[in-house]
Amino acid sequence: LLALTLALAPAVVSGALYPKDSLVKMIDTKTFRSAMKQNQTTLVAFVANWCGHCQRMVPEYSKAALGLYPLIPVYAVDCDENKALCAEQGVKGFPTVKLFPRGKYAPTVPYDSPERTASGFYYFATRRVPNRNQKLYRHEQIEPWVQQHSDKDRVLLLSKNKDVPLLWKVLANKYRDNFEFGSHRDRKGRTSVKLGYEAGSKKESKVLVYPAGAAKPVLFEGLLKYDSISKFFDSIIDGTADLSAANEAAKEEEFELSEEEQEIERKQEAQRLALAHGGFTDMIDFEEAVKKYGMDFHDSNGYGGMLSDMPKKKKAEDKAA
Ligand SMILES: *[C@@H]1O[C@H](CO)[C@@H](O)[C@H](O)[C@H]1NC(C)=O
């Protein structure tokens, strides 16, 4: 067995620590630079293939990437191949894990706990997404907020949840130069009704857009997924489509997860189930969450990349219409 282990060892050392299909993307200097221009909260590990701690960190860091997908990108940089970058980043030992709260536009935060666990990385990243969202606790606060920022495009989340979803925080951080972000807990849908919409189902969220100068909102009619909302926001920013046309396009989008996304979702579900059954003893905080939400953790929290339930498949006649 020992001989076999030794024979296999060099293969491990020469290969990349994270395989191509991992949610942890190995990036080089060039991709690092372009990632840093995105203004997103990003987690980066600076590693070397031969370093034992780096190898042992792989499963935990990968689990964290799974939990953070698709909201916070998780990367690894091979310092043997990107020496200048690692020097510039002040890397003195391996692994060095750093959070870039807003790409290159905000100071980095080093991960300095010796416990390199999935929950450690997960909460380190999610708790440090800069807060650019204003919570509007009472519905009376909405009108003044709308007026106060009337020269800008404003986006408002009406959510049934008590906590501001990570997805919304991530969007507010990414698009803070472009929109004013607000959120309001519309527990029973009364605010929706006051604004002229339906109260909506138990977990239904709404994203309202107030174009600059307008006092009346436009309801975003697309899927409440990270990529769909981002696409909609991008189209407002680049002005290629007017708001109503962009909304028409968003409305047409079908809810179809790619096979890769389905696989990720299945793994996320499995991870949460394992958590619910005490599968990962190191994830104390996750266990806390399970206690708080009960066994239907996934049901209460939804898919990480969405603000609401999975939409039902469109009926054939809807499609035809
Ligand atoms: C990122 O933020 C900076 C400064 O806030 C801004 O100049 C730049 O245009 C933003 N980039 C993107 C891609 O939004």
Side-chain angles (χ1 to χ4, degrees):
L1 183 66
L2 182 65
L4 184 65
T5 313
L6 288 176
L8 287 174
V12 174
V13 172
S14 63
L17 277 181
Y18 295 90
K20 273 210 161 58
D21 60 355
S22 168
L23 287 176
V24 178
K25 295 281 164 242
M26 301 266 344
I27 52 169
D28 60 14
T29 306
K30 201 170 147 220
T31 18
F32 174 84
R33 301 253 187 258
S34 53
M36 288 300 122
K37 285 186 198 147
Q38 301 306 311
N39 296 341
Q40 276 173 289
T41 302
T42 305
L43 192 61
V44 185
F46 297 91
V47 298
N49 281 356
W50 45 263
C51 128
H53 285 302
C54 302
Q55 291 161 6
R56 280 190 288 281
M57 191 180 97
V58 167
E60 294 297 312
Y61 196 60
S62 301
K63 266 190 238 166
L66 178 63
L68 294 167
Y69 179 87
L71 304 179
I72 298 183
V74 178
Y75 298 120
V77 172
D78 181 343
C79 284
D80 283 333
E81 285 174 11
N82 300 277
K83 288 203 172 74
L85 174 64
C86 295
E88 172 198 303
Q89 288 295 323
V91 175
K92 297 205 175 68
F94 301 120
T96 294
V97 179
K98 290 212 277 185
L99 190 77
F100 296 77
R102 199 166 188 263
K104 65 175 179 180
Y105 301 98
T108 61
V109 189
Y111 182 85
D112 50 19
S113 161
E115 280 185 42
R116 301 189 184 97
T117 58
S119 62
F121 294 131
Y122 180 88
Y123 286 103
F124 171 70
T126 54
R127 287 184 180 140
R128 285 171 181 77
V129 176
N131 180 27
R132 302 296 300 188
N133 173 64
Q134 190 173 344
K135 263 189 168 183
L136 304 164
Y137 293 92
R138 291 173 298 112
H139 73 81
E140 292 88 352
Q141 289 174 280
I142 295 177
E143 189 65 41
W145 175 81
V146 166
Q147 285 173 9
Q148 191 190 342
H149 305 285
S150 61
D151 54 325
K152 274 183 92 177
D153 291 335
R154 293 135 293 169
V155 290
L156 175 67
L157 172 70
L158 300 180
S159 150
K160 304 274 157 79
N161 278 344
K162 184 163 156 284
D163 302 319
V164 180
L166 178 62
L167 193 159
W168 193 249
K169 291 182 191 165
V170 164
L171 287 171
N173 180 44
K174 182 176 168 194
Y175 290 104
R176 74 166 189 199
D177 293 340
N178 312 100
F179 303 104
E180 200 62 39
F181 278 79
S183 65
H184 171 74
R185 184 185 190 194
D186 189 19
R187 196 157 62 99
K188 300 219 164 120
R190 289 199 190 113
T191 302
S192 294
V193 170
K194 279 202 180 76
L195 290 170
Y197 302 105
E198 284 176 26
S201 64
K202 199 172 134 219
K203 279 178 252 161
E204 192 179 303
S205 301
K206 292 187 183 70
V207 172
L208 304 179
V209 182
Y210 295 80
K216 287 253 173 296
V218 176
L219 175 70
F220 170 61
E221 298 194 61
L223 299 171
L224 295 181
K225 283 169 75 204
Y226 176 68
D227 45 358
S228 305
I229 302 173
S230 291
K231 204 169 131 199
F232 180 63
F233 284 0
D234 288 339
S235 71
I236 298 175
I237 294 163
D238 68 22
T240 50
D242 65 29
L243 194 57
S244 55
N247 211 14
E248 278 306 308
K251 199 169 153 184
E252 290 308 308
E253 195 189 349
E254 294 265 349
F255 183 74
E256 261 174 288
L257 291 180
S258 67
E259 263 176 45
E260 194 191 356
E261 280 176 312
Q262 281 178 36
E263 175 65 11
I264 290 166
E265 205 216 327
R266 196 188 56 72
K267 286 189 196 154
Q268 285 180 326
E269 178 94 352
Q271 180 170 342
R272 284 168 187 145
L273 271 180
L275 286 168
H277 297 293
F280 302 135
T281 48
D282 60 310
M283 293 191 166
I284 297 144
D285 282 319
F286 271 130
E287 285 177 351
E288 210 26 65
V290 171
K291 265 188 232 145
K292 197 163 136 197
Y293 296 110
M295 294 302 275
D296 63 344
F297 182 77
H298 185 260
D299 195 38
S300 323
N301 291 272
Y303 169 56
M306 287 191 71
L307 284 169
S308 285
D309 298 338
M310 299 276 190
K312 305 265 181 312
K313 278 259 173 225
K314 277 191 190 165
K315 287 196 215 96
E317 59 264 35
D318 291 349
K319 275 189 201 168

